[in-house]
Protein backbone atom coordinates (compact mmCIF):
# COMPACT_ATOMS: atom_id res chain seq x y z
CA UNK A 1 0.00 0.00 0.00
CA UNK A 2 1.39 3.37 -1.02
CA UNK A 3 2.07 5.65 1.97
CA UNK A 4 -0.36 8.23 0.69
CA UNK A 5 -3.18 5.67 0.49
CA UNK A 6 -2.30 4.36 3.95
CA UNK A 7 -2.37 7.91 5.27
CA UNK A 8 -5.74 8.50 3.64
CA UNK A 9 -7.12 5.32 5.23
CA UNK A 10 -5.95 6.35 8.69
CA UNK A 11 -7.41 9.78 8.14
CA UNK A 12 -10.76 8.35 7.05
CA UNK A 13 -10.75 5.98 10.06
CA UNK A 14 -10.07 8.93 12.33
CA UNK A 15 -12.92 10.90 10.78
CA UNK A 16 -15.29 7.92 11.03
CA UNK A 17 -14.43 7.28 14.67
CA UNK A 18 -14.91 10.99 15.41
CA UNK A 19 -18.39 10.72 13.90
CA UNK A 20 -19.13 7.66 16.01
CA UNK A 21 -17.90 9.21 19.23
CA UNK A 22 -20.77 10.25 21.49
CA UNK A 23 -21.35 14.01 21.62
CA UNK A 24 -20.13 15.67 24.80
CA UNK A 25 -22.58 14.90 27.54
CA UNK A 26 -25.05 17.73 28.09
CA UNK A 27 -25.12 18.88 31.71
CA UNK A 28 -27.96 17.39 33.70
CA UNK A 29 -31.07 19.53 33.77
CA UNK A 30 -31.83 20.72 37.29
CA UNK A 31 -34.82 19.11 38.98
CA UNK A 32 -35.43 22.26 40.98
CA UNK A 33 -34.60 25.93 40.51
CA UNK A 34 -34.27 27.77 43.78
CA UNK A 35 -34.61 31.44 42.80
CA UNK A 36 -33.75 33.79 45.64
CA UNK A 37 -34.13 37.53 46.03
CA UNK A 38 -32.72 39.30 49.07
CA UNK A 39 -34.73 42.49 49.26
CA UNK A 40 -32.49 45.62 49.19
CA UNK A 41 -29.28 43.55 49.29
CA UNK A 42 -26.86 45.89 47.59
CA UNK A 43 -23.92 44.28 45.75
CA UNK A 44 -21.36 45.73 48.13
CA UNK A 45 -22.90 43.80 51.06
CA UNK A 46 -21.25 40.71 49.56
CA UNK A 47 -17.81 42.30 49.92
CA UNK A 48 -18.32 44.46 52.99
CA UNK A 49 -19.18 41.57 55.29
CA UNK A 50 -17.36 38.85 53.32
CA UNK A 51 -15.13 37.81 56.23
CA UNK A 52 -18.16 37.18 58.38
CA UNK A 53 -19.97 34.95 55.92
CA UNK A 54 -19.27 31.29 56.64
CA UNK A 55 -22.43 29.60 55.42
CA UNK A 56 -24.75 30.07 52.41
CA UNK A 57 -23.33 33.26 50.93
CA UNK A 58 -19.78 31.99 51.58
CA UNK A 59 -20.63 28.80 49.70
CA UNK A 60 -21.91 30.81 46.76
CA UNK A 61 -18.88 33.13 46.74
CA UNK A 62 -16.55 30.13 46.71
CA UNK A 63 -18.36 27.72 44.40
CA UNK A 64 -20.76 29.65 42.17
CA UNK A 65 -20.63 31.92 39.13
CA UNK A 66 -20.60 35.37 40.70
CA UNK A 67 -21.10 38.57 38.68
CA UNK A 68 -19.52 41.65 40.20
CA UNK A 69 -20.98 44.25 37.82
CA UNK A 70 -24.67 43.42 37.44
CA UNK A 71 -27.12 46.32 37.25
CA UNK A 72 -30.77 47.00 36.66
CA UNK A 73 -31.35 48.89 33.43
CA UNK A 74 -34.52 50.65 34.59
CA UNK A 75 -34.78 53.79 36.70
CA UNK A 76 -37.72 52.61 38.83
CA UNK A 77 -35.57 50.54 41.19
CA UNK A 78 -38.32 49.47 43.57
CA UNK A 79 -39.46 46.10 44.89
CA UNK A 80 -42.26 45.20 42.47
CA UNK A 81 -40.22 46.20 39.42
CA UNK A 82 -37.09 44.29 40.51
CA UNK A 83 -39.14 41.19 41.30
CA UNK A 84 -40.95 41.40 37.95
CA UNK A 85 -37.65 41.69 36.05
CA UNK A 86 -35.92 38.85 37.95
CA UNK A 87 -37.48 35.88 36.14
CA UNK A 88 -39.07 37.67 33.16
CA UNK A 89 -36.01 39.57 31.92
CA UNK A 90 -38.43 42.38 31.02
CA UNK A 91 -38.20 46.10 31.69
CA UNK A 92 -41.26 47.89 33.07
CA UNK A 93 -41.82 49.43 29.60
CA UNK A 94 -42.85 45.93 28.50
CA UNK A 95 -43.91 44.15 31.71
CA UNK A 96 -46.28 46.97 32.69
CA UNK A 97 -45.03 46.79 36.29
CA UNK A 98 -44.03 50.46 36.57
CA UNK A 99 -43.88 50.69 40.37
CA UNK A 100 -45.03 49.20 43.64
CA UNK A 101 -48.24 51.09 43.04
CA UNK A 102 -49.53 53.56 40.50
CA UNK A 103 -52.61 55.61 39.69
CA UNK A 104 -55.05 53.65 37.58
CA UNK A 105 -56.86 56.21 35.44
CA UNK A 106 -59.68 53.80 34.55
CA UNK A 107 -60.34 52.94 38.20
CA UNK A 108 -59.69 56.54 39.38
CA UNK A 109 -57.58 55.24 42.24
CA UNK A 110 -54.22 53.87 43.27
CA UNK A 111 -53.60 50.20 42.61
CA UNK A 112 -50.68 48.04 43.66
CA UNK A 113 -48.62 45.93 41.27
CA UNK A 114 -50.57 42.83 42.38
CA UNK A 115 -53.88 44.07 43.84
CA UNK A 116 -56.74 42.19 42.22
CA UNK A 117 -60.32 43.03 43.22
CA UNK A 118 -61.48 39.89 41.40
CA UNK A 119 -59.76 37.72 44.03
CA UNK A 120 -60.06 37.14 47.77
CA UNK A 121 -57.40 36.37 50.35
CA UNK A 122 -57.26 32.71 51.35
CA UNK A 123 -56.20 31.94 54.93
CA UNK A 124 -56.41 35.47 56.34
CA UNK A 125 -59.31 37.71 57.38
CA UNK A 126 -62.36 36.30 55.54
CA UNK A 127 -63.28 38.16 52.36
CA UNK A 128 -60.25 40.46 52.47
CA UNK A 129 -59.23 41.44 48.92
CA UNK A 130 -56.63 39.21 47.30
CA UNK A 131 -53.66 39.65 45.00
CA UNK A 132 -52.56 38.08 41.72
CA UNK A 133 -50.11 38.55 38.83
CA UNK A 134 -52.85 39.88 36.51
CA UNK A 135 -51.09 43.23 36.00
CA UNK A 136 -47.86 41.51 34.87
CA UNK A 137 -48.08 41.59 31.07
CA UNK A 138 -45.26 39.15 30.30
CA UNK A 139 -44.32 35.54 31.05
CA UNK A 140 -41.68 34.36 33.49
CA UNK A 141 -39.27 31.41 33.12
CA UNK A 142 -41.47 29.21 35.35
CA UNK A 143 -44.41 30.06 33.03
CA UNK A 144 -42.35 28.97 30.03
CA UNK A 145 -41.45 25.69 31.73
CA UNK A 146 -45.12 25.11 32.55
CA UNK A 147 -46.17 25.91 28.98
CA UNK A 148 -43.87 23.13 27.74
CA UNK A 149 -46.29 20.75 29.35
CA UNK A 150 -44.18 18.47 31.57
CA UNK A 151 -45.56 18.16 35.07
CA UNK A 152 -43.84 20.65 37.34
CA UNK A 153 -44.60 22.78 40.38
CA UNK A 154 -43.97 26.49 40.93
CA UNK A 155 -44.28 28.01 44.39
CA UNK A 156 -43.52 31.65 45.28
CA UNK A 157 -42.82 32.73 48.86
CA UNK A 158 -42.20 36.05 50.61
CA UNK A 159 -43.50 38.25 53.37
CA UNK A 160 -44.69 40.73 50.71
CA UNK A 161 -47.43 39.68 48.30
CA UNK A 162 -45.75 41.30 45.27
CA UNK A 163 -42.44 39.57 46.03
CA UNK A 164 -44.11 36.15 46.26
CA UNK A 165 -46.31 36.65 43.20
CA UNK A 166 -44.29 38.45 40.51
CA UNK A 167 -41.25 36.12 40.13
CA UNK A 168 -43.43 33.00 40.17
CA UNK A 169 -45.57 34.24 37.29
CA UNK A 170 -49.05 33.51 35.99
CA UNK A 171 -49.08 29.72 36.02
CA UNK A 172 -47.64 29.27 39.53
CA UNK A 173 -49.36 26.59 41.59
CA UNK A 174 -49.40 29.09 44.42
CA UNK A 175 -47.75 32.14 45.90
CA UNK A 176 -47.75 32.51 49.67
CA UNK A 177 -47.11 35.65 51.69
CA UNK A 178 -47.45 36.74 55.29
CA UNK A 179 -50.59 38.60 56.26
CA UNK A 180 -49.81 40.71 59.31
CA UNK A 181 -53.53 41.39 59.99
CA UNK A 182 -54.17 37.73 60.76
CA UNK A 183 -50.61 36.59 61.55
CA UNK A 184 -51.11 33.84 58.96
CA UNK A 185 -49.47 32.73 55.77
CA UNK A 186 -51.98 33.34 52.99
CA UNK A 187 -52.58 32.99 49.27
CA UNK A 188 -55.45 34.19 47.08
CA UNK A 189 -58.37 32.65 45.20
CA UNK A 190 -56.40 33.31 42.01
CA UNK A 191 -54.36 30.23 42.93
CA UNK A 192 -56.64 28.10 45.04
CA UNK A 193 -59.82 28.08 47.10
CA UNK A 194 -58.25 26.71 50.28
CA UNK A 195 -54.83 26.49 51.86
CA UNK A 196 -53.14 23.14 51.35
CA UNK A 197 -52.81 21.04 54.47
CA UNK A 198 -49.10 21.79 54.96
CA UNK A 199 -49.78 25.55 55.05
CA UNK A 200 -52.81 25.19 57.33
CA UNK A 201 -50.60 23.21 59.69
CA UNK A 202 -47.98 26.00 59.79
CA UNK A 203 -50.69 28.57 60.58
CA UNK A 204 -52.06 26.34 63.34
CA UNK A 205 -48.60 26.57 64.93
CA UNK A 206 -48.97 30.41 65.02
CA UNK A 207 -45.45 31.08 63.73
CA UNK A 208 -45.47 34.79 64.60
CA UNK A 209 -46.55 34.47 68.23
CA UNK A 210 -43.17 33.44 69.56
CA UNK A 211 -41.80 36.90 68.67
CA UNK A 212 -44.26 38.97 70.71
CA UNK A 213 -42.16 41.20 72.96
CA UNK A 214 -38.88 39.83 71.54
CA UNK A 215 -35.68 41.88 71.42
CA UNK A 216 -33.18 41.72 68.57
CA UNK A 217 -29.63 41.31 69.85
CA UNK A 218 -26.53 40.99 67.63
CA UNK A 219 -26.23 37.47 66.21
CA UNK A 220 -23.02 36.86 68.18
CA UNK A 221 -24.15 38.41 71.49
CA UNK A 222 -23.15 36.13 74.36
CA UNK A 223 -26.16 37.14 76.45
CA UNK A 224 -28.89 39.75 76.55
CA UNK A 225 -27.05 42.27 78.74
CA UNK A 226 -26.19 44.62 75.86
CA UNK A 227 -28.39 47.00 73.90
CA UNK A 228 -30.69 45.35 71.36
CA UNK A 229 -31.04 46.77 67.84
CA UNK A 230 -34.78 47.03 68.42
CA UNK A 231 -37.61 45.55 70.40
CA UNK A 232 -41.11 44.32 69.55
CA UNK A 233 -42.48 46.39 72.44
CA UNK A 234 -43.40 49.97 71.54
CA UNK A 235 -42.75 52.91 73.86
CA UNK A 236 -39.50 51.82 75.52
CA UNK A 237 -36.12 53.51 75.26
CA UNK A 238 -35.02 50.96 72.71
CA UNK A 239 -36.07 51.55 69.11
CA UNK A 240 -39.39 49.86 68.29
CA UNK A 241 -38.82 47.36 65.48
CA UNK A 242 -42.14 48.44 64.02
CA UNK A 243 -43.22 45.03 62.83
CA UNK A 244 -42.09 41.45 62.69
CA UNK A 245 -41.22 42.04 59.05
CA UNK A 246 -38.57 44.55 60.13
CA UNK A 247 -36.59 42.01 62.17
CA UNK A 248 -34.45 38.99 61.27
CA UNK A 249 -37.33 36.79 62.47
CA UNK A 250 -39.30 37.76 59.38
CA UNK A 251 -36.58 36.12 57.28
CA UNK A 252 -36.48 33.12 59.61
CA UNK A 253 -40.20 32.60 59.08
CA UNK A 254 -39.71 32.79 55.31
CA UNK A 255 -36.89 30.24 55.41
CA UNK A 256 -38.89 27.86 57.58
CA UNK A 257 -41.88 28.22 55.25
CA UNK A 258 -39.66 27.52 52.23
CA UNK A 259 -38.45 24.26 53.80
CA UNK A 260 -42.01 23.20 54.48
CA UNK A 261 -42.93 24.04 50.86
CA UNK A 262 -40.16 21.77 49.57
CA UNK A 263 -41.53 18.78 51.46
CA UNK A 264 -45.21 19.76 51.24
CA UNK A 265 -45.08 20.07 47.46
CA UNK A 266 -42.44 17.39 46.80
CA UNK A 267 -40.28 19.94 44.99
CA UNK A 268 -37.49 18.41 42.91
CA UNK A 269 -39.50 15.25 42.25
CA UNK A 270 -41.59 16.02 39.19
CA UNK A 271 -41.04 15.21 35.54
CA UNK A 272 -40.41 18.86 34.63
CA UNK A 273 -38.24 21.38 36.49
CA UNK A 274 -39.85 22.73 39.66
CA UNK A 275 -39.44 26.34 40.77
CA UNK A 276 -39.25 27.66 44.31
CA UNK A 277 -38.95 31.44 44.39
CA UNK A 278 -38.08 32.87 47.79
CA UNK A 279 -37.80 36.56 48.56
CA UNK A 280 -36.28 37.55 51.90
CA UNK A 281 -38.04 40.82 52.77
CA UNK A 282 -36.69 41.71 56.20
CA UNK A 283 -33.39 43.08 54.89
CA UNK A 284 -35.42 45.78 53.14
CA UNK A 285 -37.51 46.80 56.14
CA UNK A 286 -34.42 47.02 58.32
CA UNK A 287 -32.47 48.90 55.67
CA UNK A 288 -35.22 51.49 55.19
CA UNK A 289 -35.35 52.17 58.92
CA UNK A 290 -31.63 52.52 59.71
CA UNK A 291 -29.69 52.75 56.40
CA UNK A 292 -26.89 50.69 54.91
CA UNK A 293 -24.18 51.84 57.30
CA UNK A 294 -25.94 50.82 60.49
CA UNK A 295 -24.68 47.75 62.42
CA UNK A 296 -28.19 46.24 62.18
CA UNK A 297 -27.72 45.86 58.41
CA UNK A 298 -24.44 44.05 58.95
CA UNK A 299 -26.16 41.83 61.51
CA UNK A 300 -29.09 40.89 59.28
CA UNK A 301 -26.71 40.28 56.37
CA UNK A 302 -24.72 37.78 58.44
CA UNK A 303 -27.95 36.17 59.62
CA UNK A 304 -29.08 35.91 55.99
CA UNK A 305 -25.85 34.05 55.18
CA UNK A 306 -26.63 31.58 57.98
CA UNK A 307 -30.26 31.15 56.85
CA UNK A 308 -29.22 30.55 53.24
CA UNK A 309 -26.80 27.82 54.37
CA UNK A 310 -29.65 26.15 56.25
CA UNK A 311 -31.94 26.37 53.23
CA UNK A 312 -29.28 25.04 50.82
CA UNK A 313 -28.58 22.06 53.09
CA UNK A 314 -32.26 21.25 53.39
CA UNK A 315 -32.98 21.57 49.67
CA UNK A 316 -29.98 19.44 48.73
CA UNK A 317 -31.07 16.76 51.15
CA UNK A 318 -34.63 16.77 49.78
CA UNK A 319 -33.99 17.19 46.06
CA UNK A 320 -30.76 15.20 45.94
CA UNK A 321 -27.19 16.44 45.53
CA UNK A 322 -26.50 18.24 42.27
CA UNK A 323 -30.17 18.53 41.30
CA UNK A 324 -30.80 22.12 42.32
CA UNK A 325 -29.87 25.23 40.42
CA UNK A 326 -29.63 28.26 42.68
CA UNK A 327 -29.96 31.75 41.26
CA UNK A 328 -29.68 34.71 43.61
CA UNK A 329 -30.09 38.44 43.17
CA UNK A 330 -31.62 41.49 44.83
CA UNK A 331 -34.52 43.65 43.69
CA UNK A 332 -32.66 46.97 44.16
CA UNK A 333 -30.01 48.58 46.32
CA UNK A 334 -30.36 51.56 48.64
CA UNK A 335 -29.04 55.06 49.27
CA UNK A 336 -27.12 56.04 52.39
CA UNK A 337 -29.10 57.95 55.04
CA UNK A 338 -28.72 61.63 54.01
CA UNK A 339 -27.74 62.77 57.51
CA UNK A 340 -25.04 60.09 57.68
CA UNK A 341 -23.76 61.25 54.32
CA UNK A 342 -23.74 64.91 55.33
CA UNK A 343 -21.75 64.11 58.47
CA UNK A 344 -19.03 62.54 56.32
CA UNK A 345 -18.89 65.47 53.88
CA UNK A 346 -20.80 63.63 51.17
CA UNK A 347 -23.60 65.25 49.20
CA UNK A 348 -27.22 64.49 49.94
CA UNK A 349 -30.35 65.68 51.67
CA UNK A 350 -34.11 65.46 51.77
CA UNK A 351 -36.71 66.98 49.47
CA UNK A 352 -40.14 67.90 50.76
CA UNK A 353 -42.46 65.91 48.51
CA UNK A 354 -45.48 68.13 49.24
CA UNK A 355 -43.61 71.28 48.43
CA UNK A 356 -42.43 69.86 45.09
CA UNK A 357 -46.02 68.96 44.14
CA UNK A 358 -47.24 72.37 45.36
CA UNK A 359 -44.74 74.20 43.20
CA UNK A 360 -45.88 72.31 40.11
CA UNK A 361 -49.52 72.96 40.95
CA UNK A 362 -48.89 76.66 41.52
CA UNK A 363 -47.15 77.04 38.17
CA UNK A 364 -50.02 75.32 36.37
CA UNK A 365 -52.62 77.37 38.24
CA UNK A 366 -50.80 80.55 37.33
CA UNK A 367 -50.55 79.65 33.67
CA UNK A 368 -53.88 77.87 33.02
CA UNK A 369 -56.10 78.90 35.94
CA UNK A 370 -56.64 77.59 39.46
CA UNK A 371 -57.39 73.90 39.95
CA UNK A 372 -56.20 70.60 41.37
CA UNK A 373 -53.75 69.94 38.57
CA UNK A 374 -51.98 66.99 40.17
CA UNK A 375 -53.92 63.86 41.10
CA UNK A 376 -53.92 63.55 44.90
CA UNK A 377 -51.75 60.69 46.13
CA UNK A 378 -49.48 60.78 43.07
CA UNK A 379 -45.96 59.52 43.74
CA UNK A 380 -43.70 62.55 44.34
CA UNK A 381 -41.30 61.47 41.58
CA UNK A 382 -44.01 60.47 39.07
CA UNK A 383 -46.96 62.90 39.33
CA UNK A 384 -50.15 62.28 37.35
CA UNK A 385 -51.83 65.30 35.82
CA UNK A 386 -55.56 65.80 36.16
CA UNK A 387 -56.49 64.91 32.57
CA UNK A 388 -60.17 65.72 33.12
CA UNK A 389 -59.20 69.28 33.95
CA UNK A 390 -56.83 69.41 30.97
CA UNK A 391 -59.55 68.26 28.56
CA UNK A 392 -62.34 70.35 30.12
CA UNK A 393 -60.23 73.44 29.43
CA UNK A 394 -59.41 72.06 25.95
CA UNK A 395 -55.68 72.37 26.62
CA UNK A 396 -52.94 70.60 24.77
CA UNK A 397 -51.54 67.97 27.19
CA UNK A 398 -47.99 68.45 25.90
CA UNK A 399 -48.21 72.18 26.75
CA UNK A 400 -49.44 71.42 30.27
CA UNK A 401 -46.70 68.83 30.77
CA UNK A 402 -44.09 71.34 29.63
CA UNK A 403 -45.18 74.01 32.10
CA UNK A 404 -45.27 71.42 34.88
CA UNK A 405 -41.82 70.12 33.93
CA UNK A 406 -40.32 73.61 33.91
CA UNK A 407 -41.70 74.22 37.39
CA UNK A 408 -40.39 70.89 38.69
CA UNK A 409 -36.97 71.49 37.13
CA UNK A 410 -36.76 74.74 39.08
CA UNK A 411 -36.91 72.94 42.42
CA UNK A 412 -33.57 72.83 44.18
CA UNK A 413 -31.81 69.43 43.96
CA UNK A 414 -34.02 68.16 41.15
CA UNK A 415 -31.48 66.99 38.56
CA UNK A 416 -33.79 66.17 35.66
CA UNK A 417 -37.42 66.16 34.67
CA UNK A 418 -38.87 64.11 31.82
CA UNK A 419 -42.41 64.38 30.51
CA UNK A 420 -44.40 61.39 29.26
CA UNK A 421 -44.23 63.01 25.84
CA UNK A 422 -40.40 63.25 26.03
CA UNK A 423 -40.10 59.55 26.86
CA UNK A 424 -42.68 58.38 24.34
CA UNK A 425 -41.04 60.28 21.48
CA UNK A 426 -37.40 59.86 22.51
CA UNK A 427 -36.88 63.62 22.79
CA UNK A 428 -34.39 63.18 25.62
CA UNK A 429 -30.72 63.69 26.37
CA UNK A 430 -29.00 60.64 24.91
CA UNK A 431 -27.40 58.85 27.84
CA UNK A 432 -27.84 55.89 30.16
CA UNK A 433 -30.10 57.74 32.59
CA UNK A 434 -32.56 58.71 29.85
CA UNK A 435 -32.54 55.11 28.66
CA UNK A 436 -33.29 53.96 32.21
CA UNK A 437 -36.33 56.26 32.32
CA UNK A 438 -37.46 55.18 28.85
CA UNK A 439 -37.30 51.55 29.97
CA UNK A 440 -39.40 52.46 33.03
CA UNK A 441 -42.13 54.13 30.98
CA UNK A 442 -45.32 52.32 30.08
CA UNK A 443 -47.81 54.83 28.65
CA UNK A 444 -51.10 53.34 29.85
CA UNK A 445 -49.90 53.23 33.48
CA UNK A 446 -47.08 55.73 33.97
CA UNK A 447 -47.49 59.27 35.28
CA UNK A 448 -47.06 62.45 33.23
CA UNK A 449 -43.84 63.70 34.81
CA UNK A 450 -40.69 61.92 35.95
CA UNK A 451 -38.53 63.71 38.49
CA UNK A 452 -34.99 62.64 39.20
CA UNK A 453 -33.36 64.05 42.29
CA UNK A 454 -29.60 64.66 42.49
CA UNK A 455 -27.61 61.64 43.76
CA UNK A 456 -28.05 60.97 47.50
CA UNK A 457 -31.22 63.10 47.77
CA UNK A 458 -34.46 61.50 48.95
CA UNK A 459 -38.14 62.36 48.88
CA UNK A 460 -38.52 60.66 52.28
CA UNK A 461 -38.76 62.45 55.61
CA UNK A 462 -36.82 59.82 57.56
CA UNK A 463 -34.68 56.69 57.11
CA UNK A 464 -33.56 55.94 53.58
CA UNK A 465 -34.87 54.61 50.30
CA UNK A 466 -34.18 53.62 46.70
CA UNK A 467 -35.86 54.05 43.33
CA UNK A 468 -33.33 55.94 41.19
CA UNK A 469 -31.05 54.93 38.29
CA UNK A 470 -27.96 55.73 40.42
CA UNK A 471 -25.47 52.91 41.03
CA UNK A 472 -26.27 52.54 44.72
CA UNK A 473 -29.82 51.55 43.66
CA UNK A 474 -29.05 49.50 40.53
CA UNK A 475 -25.96 47.46 41.46
CA UNK A 476 -26.96 44.06 42.87
CA UNK A 477 -25.53 40.54 43.11
CA UNK A 478 -26.23 38.05 40.33
CA UNK A 479 -25.14 34.52 41.22
CA UNK A 480 -25.74 31.14 39.56
CA UNK A 481 -24.81 27.86 41.24
CA UNK A 482 -25.51 24.29 40.27
CA UNK A 483 -25.62 21.84 37.35
CA UNK A 484 -24.47 23.33 34.05
CA UNK A 485 -22.78 26.35 35.64
CA UNK A 486 -19.08 27.14 35.32
CA UNK A 487 -18.03 28.61 38.67
CA UNK A 488 -15.89 31.71 38.83
CA UNK A 489 -15.78 35.42 39.26
CA UNK A 490 -17.20 37.31 36.28
CA UNK A 491 -16.33 40.99 35.95
CA UNK A 492 -18.11 41.91 32.73
CA UNK A 493 -20.97 44.36 32.91
CA UNK A 494 -24.28 42.51 32.75
CA UNK A 495 -27.93 43.33 33.38
CA UNK A 496 -30.27 41.61 35.82
CA UNK A 497 -32.43 41.17 32.71
CA UNK A 498 -29.87 38.54 31.59
CA UNK A 499 -30.92 36.10 34.33
CA UNK A 500 -34.18 35.00 32.67
CA UNK A 501 -32.83 34.19 29.18
CA UNK A 502 -29.88 32.39 30.79
CA UNK A 503 -32.21 30.24 32.89
CA UNK A 504 -34.35 29.57 29.82
CA UNK A 505 -31.24 28.40 27.93
CA UNK A 506 -30.21 26.14 30.84
CA UNK A 507 -33.68 24.60 31.01
CA UNK A 508 -34.20 24.34 27.25
CA UNK A 509 -37.29 26.53 27.15
CA UNK A 510 -38.23 29.66 25.22
CA UNK A 511 -37.14 32.89 26.78
CA UNK A 512 -40.01 34.80 28.47
CA UNK A 513 -42.13 37.04 26.25
CA UNK A 514 -40.67 40.38 27.34
CA UNK A 515 -37.09 39.21 27.87
CA UNK A 516 -34.58 41.81 26.71
CA UNK A 517 -31.36 40.35 28.12
CA UNK A 518 -28.73 38.03 26.68
CA UNK A 519 -27.77 34.47 27.57
CA UNK A 520 -24.74 34.60 29.86
CA UNK A 521 -22.92 32.00 27.76
CA UNK A 522 -19.67 32.59 29.65
CA UNK A 523 -21.03 30.68 32.67
CA UNK A 524 -22.49 27.73 30.75
CA UNK A 525 -20.56 24.46 30.91
ZN1 LIG B 1 -37.46 45.80 47.68
Amino acid sequence: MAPSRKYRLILSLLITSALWAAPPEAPRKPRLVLAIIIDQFRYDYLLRFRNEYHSGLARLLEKAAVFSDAHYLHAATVTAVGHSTFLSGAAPSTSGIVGNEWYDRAASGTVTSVSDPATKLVGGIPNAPGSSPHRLLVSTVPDEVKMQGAESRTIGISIKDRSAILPAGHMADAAYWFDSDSGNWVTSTYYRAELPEWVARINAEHPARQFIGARWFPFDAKDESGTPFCTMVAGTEVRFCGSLEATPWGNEMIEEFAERAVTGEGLGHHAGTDFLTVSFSSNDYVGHAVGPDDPAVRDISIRTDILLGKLFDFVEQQAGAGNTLVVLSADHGVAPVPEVNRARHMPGGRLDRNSVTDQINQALSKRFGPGAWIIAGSPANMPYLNLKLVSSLKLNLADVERVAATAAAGVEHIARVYTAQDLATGAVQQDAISRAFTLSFYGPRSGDLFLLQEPYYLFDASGTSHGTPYAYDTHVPVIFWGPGIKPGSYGESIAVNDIAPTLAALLGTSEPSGSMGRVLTEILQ
Side-chain angles (χ1 to χ4, degrees):
M1 201 186 288
S4 66
R5 277 191 63 196
K6 188 174 164 191
Y7 177 75
R8 275 209 300 274
L9 184 64
I10 290 169
L11 194 67
S12 81
L13 277 173
L14 276 174
I15 290 167
T16 314
S17 65
L19 286 173
W20 282 343
E25 207 178 320
R28 205 158 27 131
K29 254 197 210 176
R31 309 288 306 266
L32 171 64
V33 175
L34 175 58
I36 298 170
I37 287 271
I38 310 175
D39 204 313
Q40 202 191 103
F41 196 82
R42 225 163 60 171
Y43 172 75
D44 67 307
Y45 294 176
L46 280 182
L47 310 179
R48 223 166 162 173
F49 315 122
R50 173 68 187 93
N51 293 337
E52 290 164 288
Y53 296 147
H54 305 290
S55 190
L57 288 171
R59 228 174 291 173
L60 293 176
L61 289 165
E62 283 155 21
K63 298 180 178 171
V66 181
F67 286 91
S68 56
D69 195 20
H71 288 258
Y72 281 100
L73 301 176
H74 52 251
T77 46
V78 297
T79 298
V81 182
H83 281 81
S84 67
T85 298
F86 180 41
L87 297 185
S88 77
S93 53
T94 311
S95 72
I97 303 298
V98 295
N100 287 334
E101 55 265 323
W102 57 84
Y103 182 72
D104 184 332
R105 292 197 185 274
S108 297
T110 298
V111 297
T112 83
S113 61
V114 291
S115 59
D116 185 351
T119 67
K120 298 276 178 226
L121 216 54
V122 173
I125 310 287
N127 286 322
S131 306
S132 85
H134 75 122
R135 297 187 208 280
L136 177 69
L137 305 177
V138 294
S139 66
T140 62
V141 182
D143 286 333
E144 295 296 335
V145 169
K146 288 264 190 188
M147 283 195 280
Q148 279 195 332
E151 196 209 350
S152 71
R153 308 285 286 169
T154 296
I155 302 291
I157 296 169
S158 183
I159 273 185
K160 303 178 181 177
D161 56 358
R162 55 185 179 270
S163 310
I165 290 170
L166 293 170
H170 302 271
M171 293 179 71
D173 296 278
Y176 296 103
W177 58 95
F178 184 71
D179 171 46
S180 50
D181 291 339
S182 60
N184 281 347
W185 285 94
V186 297
T187 185
S188 87
T189 52
Y190 174 83
Y191 302 100
R192 42 191 307 145
E194 285 180 1
L195 292 178
E197 211 232 315
W198 65 267
V199 179
R201 212 177 307 141
I202 294 173
N203 286 340
E205 294 164 12
H206 302 293
R209 274 193 198 162
Q210 58 183 305
F211 304 114
I212 294 171
R215 292 176 297 168
W216 170 17
F217 287 95
F219 80 100
D220 53 356
K222 302 237 172 353
D223 54 40
E224 302 199 340
S225 59
T227 310
F229 291 119
C230 65
T231 165
M232 292 296 285
V233 183
T236 72
E237 279 182 10
V238 178
R239 183 174 72 83
F240 177 45
C241 302
S243 65
L244 184 56
E245 291 90 322
T247 70
W249 311 308
N251 278 353
E252 286 175 21
M253 281 179 33
I254 294 168
E255 194 278 333
E256 173 67 26
F257 193 91
E259 285 191 14
R260 303 275 284 264
V262 172
T263 44
E265 299 285 335
L267 299 181
H269 298 284
H270 296 98
T273 301
D274 294 333
F275 265 82
L276 177 62
T277 74
V278 185
S279 173
F280 289 99
S281 311
S282 296
N283 307 67
D284 181 67
Y285 288 95
V286 171
H288 272 292
V290 299
D293 305 304
D294 190 275
V297 167
R298 168 185 167 272
D299 194 81
I300 198 168
S301 300
I302 298 167
R303 288 170 181 267
T304 304
D305 164 67
I306 296 166
L307 271 186
L308 287 175
K310 182 170 180 282
L311 182 60
F312 294 161
D313 287 343
F314 186 83
V315 167
E316 181 169 306
Q317 188 197 341
Q318 296 297 316
N323 286 330
T324 303
L325 177 71
V326 175
V327 55
L328 181 143
S329 190
D331 54 344
H332 51 75
V334 71
V337 172
E339 291 73 26
V340 171
N341 244 19
R342 296 296 282 269
R344 56 193 178 195
H345 295 176
M346 286 289 289
R350 298 186 187 276
L351 293 159
D352 179 351
R353 56 174 68 212
N354 293 329
S355 123
V356 177
T357 310
D358 286 349
Q359 289 189 54
I360 300 170
N361 210 51
Q362 278 167 24
L364 291 169
S365 296
K366 199 170 156 201
R367 174 76 175 76
F368 300 111
W373 287 95
I374 308 281
I375 299 280
S378 283
N381 62 346
M382 190 174 75
Y384 289 76
L385 292 174
N386 183 345
L387 296 188
K388 289 188 185 126
L389 187 54
V390 173
S391 67
S392 72
L393 295 173
K394 300 195 168 50
L395 297 171
N396 179 331
L397 179 59
D399 293 342
V400 181
E401 281 183 354
R402 184 53 50 208
V403 172
T406 305
V411 175
E412 203 180 5
H413 304 300
I414 292 292
R416 296 189 191 201
V417 182
Y418 298 99
T419 67
Q421 190 83 2
D422 292 339
L423 296 176
T425 58
V428 294
Q429 178 180 336
Q430 296 299 301
D431 68 356
I433 285 181
S434 296
R435 181 166 186 253
F437 276 91
T438 304
L439 289 173
S440 301
F441 177 69
Y442 179 65
R445 294 180 183 174
S446 292
D448 296 286
L449 289 184
F450 300 81
L451 278 58
L452 174 63
Q453 65 271 41
E454 292 171 2
Y456 303 116
Y457 280 81
L458 298 177
F459 284 102
D460 306 78
S462 65
T464 186
S465 199
H466 46 83
T468 75
Y470 298 127
Y472 49 76
D473 283 343
T474 62
H475 191 187
V476 293
V478 167
I479 300 177
F480 287 83
W481 179 40
I485 303 296
K486 216 186 296 172
S489 180
Y490 296 85
E492 46 276 84
S493 166
I494 67 152
V496 179
N497 309 62
D498 299 335
I499 291 174
T502 304
L503 274 179
L506 278 158
L507 301 178
T509 67
S510 304
E511 73 270 45
S513 51
S515 170
M516 59 173 286
R518 71 173 176 92
V519 177
L520 299 164
T521 50
E522 59 271 39
I523 66 164
L524 302 184
Q525 264 174 0

